[in-house]
Amino acid sequence: MLDTPEAVIEALRENDERPHGLQRTVTAEELVEAAEPFEEPDVLVTALLELMGAYEFTGEHRKSPVVFARVLKLWDTAPASFSRWEAHQVFWRFKWVTTSLLEVPGVPLAAIRGWIDQMRTRYAAAGHGMQPVAAMGYHVAHHTGEGLADAYDLWATRPRTELSDCEACEIRHFAGHQVAAGDDAGALETWLPVLGGATACTEEPQMSQARALLPLLRTGRADEARSHHLTGYRRVRGNTGMQDEVGLHLEFCALSRNEGRGLEILAENRPLFEATGAPLARLGFLTGVEVLLARLTEDGHADTAVAGPPGRNWTAGELLAHVRSEADRLATAFDARNATTAVGDRRRARLAQRPLLAEPLPLGLRTSLTRLPVAGTALDGAPVGTGPSATASAGAVVPQDFVSLVREARRLAAAGHPGENRLWARVEELLADGSAAHDDALGPEELLQAELADQRAYLLIRNDRDTESAAELKRAAELYEGLGMPWHALSARSRSLAWLSTDDEGDQDAIRAGLDGILAEAAHLMTQEPWTQGKEAHGHAERELEYLTVLYAATFAAYQEAVRELPETAGPAAERFAARAGTLRAEAERLSVPHHVANALQFAADLAGRSGDTARAEDQLLAALEAVDASGRPWRGSRPRALLAQLMLAKDEPARAVELLHQALADAARYDDTDFAVAPTYVLLGHAASHLDDVNGAVRHLSEAAARFDLDGAHDEATDARLQLAEVLARSGRQADAVAVLESVLAGESAPACDERPLAQARLTLARGLRELGEFLPAAEEFLRLADIVAAWEDDGEVLTLVAAEAATALAMAERWDAAAAAYERAVAAHAEAPNPSLIIHMMCEFARLTMLARGADGLDTALDHLAQADAVRAAVPEDAEDFAAWHGRGTVHYRRARVLGDAERFEQALTEAEAAIAAHEEGGEHGEVLRAEAVRIAALIEGNGLARFEGAIARLTAAAARCRRAGLPEAADILDALRQDYLKR
């Protein structure tokens, strides 16, 4: 019942602990009604200020000024009803009213300026400085575009007062002024204290992060833009008081070519379409939506389903028209109110922007929508109908004439250029849709059919469809035979066998026998038609290449068999491989075809590396690269370079690995090598960068790897890359970034269905990250979810002990004490089945600390009971137990008991416990020195501050600081010295 002032005050206190949102706002409205009947208006003052705050932070700017008018009336009629804090809030919230009135186009500009005049009058009467008033004048000038320079000077040159906006918010406005003036670099310099975490408030850094995204991209600082998007968006998503900021994140997604991510953000924020209390912020949101949707429709995706206002289904084109209409209406209303075009001009400038990057910025996030291709392009972003010539880079113009297209594809194929794949795909497409037909100028139609069957086989084997691939190659072989091209037929038949994957010994025997027969046919064919090493005619060179392809196929089959036999390296399979690889290399050298020499060396290097002979593998790969250089086919160097980079990483030479991997990727792109394993190479680059302590590089490369795995449909590999990315981020202290990545991996029903244990580790990292960010309840929820998962792991009970203990602590941090108690008991029970005494002792000590923090001296008995339980756990550990340092356990409990007793002002007992902690940690030798120093600090604090025994405390600190310096712990010594100096001054 809310029929007494005390009951309403208690309800206001409870409501103040809720997050801003509908429930808090509705309750605040109810509490104002409950407070109105009371004779004294002091409770009503408190309730009105709470309601105004609820409106302000949920974007209900239409309602906020009405509430403040009531507050101001009470201030004029009953000032004694205001506490000191509430009196300060009266003057502080004048600023809220000004910015709220600017948000509503129906409020005349004259009324807003009149409000600022009243603010100036009241500030002057109360003796307050005018800087906050000048700030309001600047906001009006910025909004209308009139008198901006003078208003800025009037504001920026005045000294701050106690009623000025907080420093973080002022920095946002200063930086925004610079961005509007075109000075991105200067704005980012101004923003540094906020974006770097040195200053913050309720609204910062998330508001500045959203506004800094495009300046960061425009100045080439994409790594920072990625990070601020990841961390900033988490703080604003779904918040009706942050509509403008959500719109800026949508705009960033569009202009960084992450339209898929933008659509997911749109879906997560669908309720914002119904938030109408802050029209100017709504206009910002709708404009961000429009930037995203305009990009989609321009790229040919107008029919893509998107999330819009609830109540119906929307396509991108339909929602764009709807949003554009409302946003135009709002902008027109503001400009009409202001009698300027400033609001419309800013909107038009945003809509005129073009993407700031040539390729999508990899964000590292898992989304249900991968990168959206432009209509008329391949999934990798390359325009259809374009491709390289034999020496050109990817993207060169391909002949539109069908005959020229086929001839160019044949030329690339003869050169072994990887760009042939895209051209053959185009040939197949034109034939399939009937827009082209065979031309006699290309020779027999059967030849083209054979070439296309050969190409289809290659594409099928890339997708592990070896049986279908073999069928296409057999068809190609028959066609080649019919055309009188025996070497081409042999080559196709040899590959149809070599590419088959089987673990069946009988099938392997059949493959070996088939390849032996083909090799015998090749030897017989050579006796019928002797070669002159390709010096007579082009046909000789072509036959030589097909002959070497036969040898290559036989070597590849032997290589696969040898790999299956590993770690055995001396059996028949290894001998067969050595013979096949030796023949391939010798014949390639005799016929002067270096790229096949490189192939033989690369096979041998890979087997050597797999068997642990890394020195031999390195030598073989270096020799292979020399052969590639001599071949005139530089595109063949990417794979051996990637293999060599792996060896360099194993040798702890990450700088050399980075160089090799960058060159491999550059060559793959330059020569349009769509078969090169780009995504795994980016993973290797991420590892190498991490070894070099280049965190930004590691994040960039692992994010790119994840995005490319997604494009390839390799979602398990993408998940693994993201887990590695999150580990790098967490290890480098970027917990908010790591949390954003892990949330995307583990999000609800869309979580990937891969191995449970890596995902469990990811959830543990997520929970710990949330805890470190102070998001204790979400952290506890993740710990509890994980506890339910690991409870089924019969072979790993210690994990349940760990997770239950961390869940209990997180719940206590969130002040959910009943749930914390249940998790506490679960952890104790798990410990009984799978002991982890150090962890359980830590949990019990944390409960003692948190109990005192929450209840003060009233919680002393409960806290001491937790510590008694910790002592019991410690005493039950056998003396010969591994992985448990008895001295550490004793010291930990004594230390916490000292602090608990000190908090309860039982100083003599506290000092005894602190000295017991010092003695226990001393038993740990060098491992206990840091802990001992901390126990000394606590003892000195109790001795000095609690018992006023300064001389004893000073002597204790002097000896301990000297000991720390001898132990090589200067930081600990400095801390002790600082306390000593403080006591000496007293």
Side-chain angles (χ1 to χ4, degrees):
M1 295 291 291
L2 298 174
D3 52 1
T4 66
E6 293 76 15
V8 174
I9 288 294
E10 180 59 31
L12 285 167
R13 186 177 295 113
E14 291 178 2
N15 200 41
D16 186 58
E17 295 175 355
R18 293 190 176 99
H20 284 290
L22 182 60
Q23 182 183 2
R24 178 167 175 172
T25 301
V26 169
T27 302
E29 290 171 337
E30 293 170 350
L31 292 174
V32 167
E33 291 181 10
E36 285 174 337
F38 301 142
E39 184 176 347
E40 296 296 327
D42 53 343
V43 178
L44 179 59
V45 167
T46 305
L48 286 169
L49 289 172
E50 162 65 18
L51 178 58
M52 186 179 181
Y55 286 151
E56 180 72 16
F57 291 106
T58 53
E60 291 287 352
H61 293 283
R62 294 180 187 273
K63 300 178 180 180
S64 181
V66 177
V67 178
F68 188 68
R70 296 183 65 184
V71 172
L72 205 56
K73 183 176 180 180
L74 289 170
W75 172 251
D76 290 336
T77 58
S81 299
F82 289 72
S83 68
R84 184 175 179 180
W85 178 84
E86 289 167 343
H88 180 270
Q89 286 298 301
V90 171
F91 291 97
W92 183 269
R93 297 191 186 191
F94 264 100
K95 300 180 296 181
W96 288 12
V97 174
T98 302
T99 53
S100 291
L101 293 173
L102 276 177
E103 282 274 350
V104 184
V107 177
L109 210 55
I112 299 171
R113 288 182 171 134
W115 185 263
I116 296 174
D117 289 340
Q118 182 182 169
M119 178 182 176
R120 181 181 295 106
T121 300
R122 287 183 180 265
Y123 269 48
H128 294 303
M130 291 294 113
Q131 195 259 13
V133 179
M136 295 304 101
Y138 168 76
H139 292 324
V140 173
H142 172 74
H143 176 70
T144 63
E146 288 189 325
L148 183 59
D150 290 342
Y152 179 79
D153 288 341
L154 188 63
W155 166 48
T157 57
R158 288 179 178 267
R160 286 175 52 79
T161 76
E162 67 173 350
L163 288 169
S164 296
D165 281 344
C166 80
E167 188 176 356
C169 288
E170 280 209 340
I171 286 172
R172 176 178 77 247
H173 296 311
F174 283 131
H177 183 80
Q178 291 172 285
V179 170
D183 184 10
D184 286 339
L188 292 171
E189 184 69 24
T190 299
W191 255 317
L192 189 58
V194 176
L195 298 181
T199 182
C201 69
T202 305
E203 297 177 331
E204 291 294 349
Q206 58 266 36
M207 292 182 77
S208 287
Q209 286 176 310
R211 286 158 177 76
L213 292 172
L214 296 187
L216 285 165
L217 280 187
R218 288 194 292 259
T219 54
R221 295 162 64 173
D223 290 335
E224 293 168 76
R226 175 196 301 109
S227 177
H228 289 304
H229 171 64
L230 295 182
T231 60
Y233 173 67
R234 287 189 72 251
R235 294 185 174 103
V236 303
R237 66 185 173 197
N239 186 340
T240 55
M242 291 281 174
Q243 290 183 83
D244 203 356
E245 287 67 29
V246 173
L248 290 169
H249 281 280
L250 288 168
E251 179 180 65
F252 165 78
C253 289
L255 301 182
S256 66
R257 297 187 183 272
N258 280 285
E259 294 89 346
R261 164 71 169 164
L263 291 181
E264 290 206 334
I265 290 177
L266 200 60
E268 287 181 331
N269 292 276
R270 199 172 187 185
L272 296 190
F273 283 105
E274 298 180 304
T276 60
L280 187 60
R282 180 172 178 78
L283 175 61
F285 168 67
L286 294 175
T287 302
V289 174
E290 187 174 347
V291 171
L292 173 68
L293 296 175
R295 287 290 312 141
L296 287 170
T297 55
E298 183 179 324
D299 285 346
H301 300 293
D303 293 332
T304 298
V306 299
R312 57 161 288 186
N313 296 324
W314 297 88
T315 66
E318 291 167 344
L319 184 58
L320 175 61
H322 174 80
V323 165
R324 181 172 287 160
S325 174
E326 183 179 356
D328 281 344
R329 179 182 58 77
L330 282 171
T332 299
F334 279 110
D335 283 345
R337 188 270 301 273
N338 301 334
T340 68
T341 62
V343 173
D345 289 345
R346 284 193 289 271
R347 168 172 155 73
R348 285 183 285 274
R350 288 179 69 181
L351 295 174
Q353 296 174 107
R354 309 300 300 164
L356 296 169
L357 301 174
E359 296 291 333
L361 174 66
L363 299 176
L365 300 175
R366 177 179 181 266
T367 64
S368 58
L369 292 161
T370 55
R371 295 173 180 172
L372 293 170
V374 177
T377 69
L379 277 178
D380 56 10
V384 172
T386 65
S389 64
T391 58
S393 64
V397 175
V398 170
Q400 296 301 305
D401 173 69
F402 184 72
V403 171
S404 300
L405 176 65
V406 174
R407 285 173 174 167
E408 182 68 2
R410 286 172 175 171
R411 187 168 75 87
L412 291 178
H417 194 292
E420 66 165 304
N421 296 329
R422 198 184 302 278
L423 273 65
W424 284 123
R426 182 62 173 160
V427 170
E428 185 101 63
E429 178 187 333
L430 292 174
L431 289 172
D433 66 16
S435 55
H438 181 264
D439 191 301
D440 290 342
L442 296 171
E445 184 175 356
E446 291 80 5
L447 175 59
L448 183 57
Q449 292 174 358
E451 290 165 327
L452 291 173
D454 213 327
Q455 180 66 15
R456 283 194 296 273
Y458 180 70
L459 296 175
L460 287 164
I461 201 63
R462 281 174 54 192
N463 292 305
D464 298 323
R465 294 162 64 179
D466 50 337
T467 302
E468 295 166 82
S469 175
E472 290 288 347
L473 284 167
K474 288 175 183 176
R475 179 168 182 265
E478 292 171 358
L479 290 166
Y480 285 132
E481 288 281 7
L483 291 166
M485 302 172 70
W487 284 109
H488 287 76
L490 280 179
S491 169
R493 286 168 52 203
S494 66
R495 283 176 284 130
S496 73
L497 291 170
W499 290 354
L500 286 171
S501 176
T502 179
D503 291 325
D504 183 89
E505 187 62 37
D507 290 341
Q508 291 176 28
D509 289 342
I511 290 171
R512 283 196 297 271
L515 287 169
D516 286 342
I518 290 172
L519 290 172
E521 288 184 55
H524 176 69
L525 192 59
M526 288 178 67
T527 62
Q528 292 183 320
E529 198 172 354
W531 293 353
T532 56
Q533 293 186 244
K535 293 180 181 178
E536 285 186 14
H538 176 71
H540 276 175
E542 194 173 63
R543 287 199 300 270
E544 291 165 7
L545 290 175
E546 297 301 332
Y547 164 63
L548 289 173
T549 299
V550 171
L551 298 183
Y552 173 87
T555 305
F556 176 71
Y559 158 79
Q560 285 189 305
E561 193 175 347
V563 168
R564 282 193 290 266
E565 294 297 316
L566 289 174
E568 176 62 51
T569 60
E575 293 173 3
R576 189 175 299 109
F577 168 75
R580 295 286 192 238
T583 300
L584 174 60
R585 181 176 178 180
E587 287 295 272
E589 288 174 342
R590 179 177 70 83
L591 296 170
S592 300
V593 184
H595 72 268
H596 272 302
V597 174
N599 287 335
L601 289 165
Q602 189 175 325
F603 280 134
D606 185 61
L607 273 178
R610 288 171 182 262
S611 61
D613 189 351
T614 55
R616 182 167 180 268
E618 182 179 348
D619 289 342
Q620 297 273 32
L621 287 171
L622 290 170
L625 286 170
E626 288 181 8
V628 168
D629 289 342
S631 72
R633 299 185 176 199
W635 47 83
R636 289 186 172 271
S638 293
R639 288 163 183 76
R641 283 192 179 91
L643 289 172
L644 184 57
Q646 293 183 59
L647 295 178
M648 294 301 101
L649 277 173
K651 288 178 62 177
D652 198 23
E653 294 184 24
R656 175 66 175 139
V658 166
E659 180 185 345
L660 288 163
L661 292 167
H662 276 304
Q663 187 173 350
L665 286 167
D667 285 347
R670 180 179 300 116
Y671 300 114
D672 197 22
D673 188 351
T674 55
D675 291 339
F676 181 66
V678 172
T681 304
Y682 274 110
V683 171
L684 288 175
L685 260 177
H687 292 168
S690 182
H691 283 298
L692 290 168
D693 293 326
D694 177 9
V695 175
N696 283 338
V699 170
R700 185 165 56 250
H701 300 317
L702 289 169
S703 298
E704 182 66 35
R708 288 181 178 271
F709 277 130
D710 279 337
L711 279 175
D712 294 339
H715 299 303
D716 286 352
E717 290 83 353
T719 295
D720 185 61
R722 290 189 173 95
L723 296 183
Q724 294 178 55
L725 168 61
E727 182 182 350
V728 167
L729 289 165
R731 196 169 58 240
S732 64
R734 290 165 58 176
Q735 290 291 351
D737 298 58
V739 163
V741 171
L742 290 169
E743 283 180 336
S744 79
V745 171
L746 299 169
E749 296 179 359
S750 63
C754 55
D755 188 36
E756 184 179 56
R757 296 198 179 229
L759 291 180
Q761 178 62 50
R763 200 172 292 282
L764 179 63
T765 304
L766 171 59
R768 288 172 171 171
L770 288 166
R771 183 180 61 198
E772 188 166 324
L773 293 175
E775 299 179 33
F776 300 126
L777 188 55
E781 290 169 352
E782 290 296 338
F783 280 126
L784 291 171
R785 193 174 289 116
L786 180 58
D788 290 339
I789 293 170
V790 303
W793 295 2
E794 297 179 0
D795 61 333
D796 210 346
E798 284 191 14
V799 176
L800 177 59
T801 307
L802 180 149
V803 174
E806 297 212 41
T809 304
L811 285 164
M813 288 176 167
E815 298 188 1
R816 300 299 179 92
W817 289 102
D818 290 342
Y824 185 103
E825 294 304 320
R826 185 180 192 182
V828 172
H831 167 70
E833 296 294 327
N836 191 332
S838 297
L839 182 73
I840 294 298
I841 289 170
H842 173 76
M843 177 192 74
M844 291 170 170
C845 288
E846 274 294 279
F847 264 71
R849 178 183 73 83
L850 294 167
T851 298
M852 294 301 292
L853 191 64
R855 297 171 55 191
D858 291 342
L860 178 62
D861 290 342
T862 302
L864 291 175
D865 181 61
H866 285 304
L867 294 172
Q869 292 182 58
D871 271 331
V873 170
R874 176 186 56 77
V877 180
E879 292 185 6
D880 59 348
E882 296 182 2
D883 300 325
F884 181 76
W887 64 267
H888 187 277
R890 286 199 310 278
T892 298
V893 179
H894 283 306
Y895 171 82
R896 182 50 58 194
R897 190 176 283 116
R899 298 207 61 168
V900 164
L901 290 166
D903 290 343
E905 298 186 1
R906 290 166 60 169
F907 298 121
E908 290 289 0
Q909 292 172 277
L911 183 59
T912 300
E913 289 295 325
E915 288 177 335
I918 294 168
H921 289 313
E922 192 157 351
E923 292 179 29
E926 63 179 11
H927 301 295
E929 284 296 333
V930 173
L931 296 170
R932 182 187 184 281
E934 168 59 12
V936 169
R937 186 183 72 86
I938 293 302
L941 285 169
I942 294 167
E943 205 167 17
N945 294 347
L947 299 170
R949 300 173 188 167
F950 292 107
E951 290 185 2
I954 290 168
R956 186 190 299 275
L957 291 165
T958 302
R963 176 173 177 144
C964 285
R965 287 198 167 84
R966 290 194 300 272
L969 300 170
E971 186 177 349
D974 290 344
I975 292 171
L976 296 173
D977 272 339
L979 181 56
R980 175 177 171 272
Q981 291 298 324
D982 180 51
Y983 283 172
L984 284 170
K985 289 175 183 176
R986 296 193 197 184

